[in-house]
Amino acid sequence: MPQEIALIWAGLSVWLAGLGVVIGQGEMSRVSMDILGKNPHMRSQLLVFTVLWIALVESWVIYAMIISFKIINTPGLEPMHAIAGGLAMGLAGLGSGFWESKIVVWSLEAFNRNPENKAQVLQSMLMYLALAEVVSIYALIVAMQLLK
């Protein structure tokens, strides 16, 4: 396989996953800062939501990097396998990075409306994020199988 095709799809895998993560982080940060501006006393609670979400969603870019390294370091890889593996991980990361951020944004808004229910909101957010994060494992497994 020409090295150029591998490099393009290795880069696109990380770029697509990273794009979803960055868009999501931007939206989550905007909402968090808006809440902080209106309710400065919520700073430490907002930090908990933010750190938890960033820790979870960064896995998408890590998985995409693993797939990119696999594409780059697999000699004789068929071009369609490189394309399919890069797309599988990249598109899954793009969509999930964005939608996981929506879960956090909705949780922040619920917390802002009803701060005394922080524990319930946080618990629900973590459960929904964990369920959404399972998709990353599926995408990683499929992409690894495509790159054998």
Side-chain angles (χ1 to χ4, degrees):
M1 172 176 90
Q3 184 66 17
E4 294 80 17
I5 292 174
L7 294 175
I8 289 168
W9 287 101
L12 281 174
S13 176
V14 174
W15 183 80
L16 286 169
L19 181 63
V21 169
V22 168
I23 290 170
Q25 286 176 343
E27 175 65 9
M28 193 266 319
S29 297
R30 182 192 65 75
V31 170
S32 184
M33 296 306 289
D34 185 50
I35 293 170
L36 181 61
K38 294 175 184 171
N39 303 299
H41 64 281
M42 298 174 103
R43 184 175 187 273
S44 62
Q45 292 91 350
L46 290 171
L47 186 60
V48 170
F49 280 85
T50 304
V51 169
L52 284 171
W53 179 75
I54 289 174
L56 279 171
V57 81
E58 288 294 326
S59 64
W60 282 103
V61 180
I62 293 168
Y63 295 153
M65 283 179 17
I66 291 168
I67 294 305
S68 294
F69 293 148
K70 179 81 171 159
I71 291 170
I72 292 167
N73 294 315
T74 303
L77 184 64
E78 292 290 324
M80 287 308 292
H81 289 192
I83 293 168
L87 277 176
M89 197 71 244
L91 290 176
L94 175 66
S96 290
F98 175 78
W99 285 105
E100 283 183 20
S101 74
K102 288 296 191 182
I103 293 169
V104 176
V105 164
W106 296 325
S107 298
L108 287 170
E109 291 168 345
F111 171 58
N112 186 43
R113 283 189 304 274
N114 210 349
E116 61 275 1
N117 286 336
K118 175 192 169 195
Q120 293 89 343
V121 171
L122 189 57
Q123 183 180 26
S124 295
M125 180 188 82
L126 288 174
M127 182 185 66
Y128 296 138
L129 284 174
L131 291 170
E133 191 68 19
V134 169
V135 175
S136 66
I137 303 300
Y138 297 155
L140 180 62
I141 291 168
V142 168
M144 290 299 277
Q145 289 298 312
L146 288 165
L147 299 174
K148 277 187 167 181

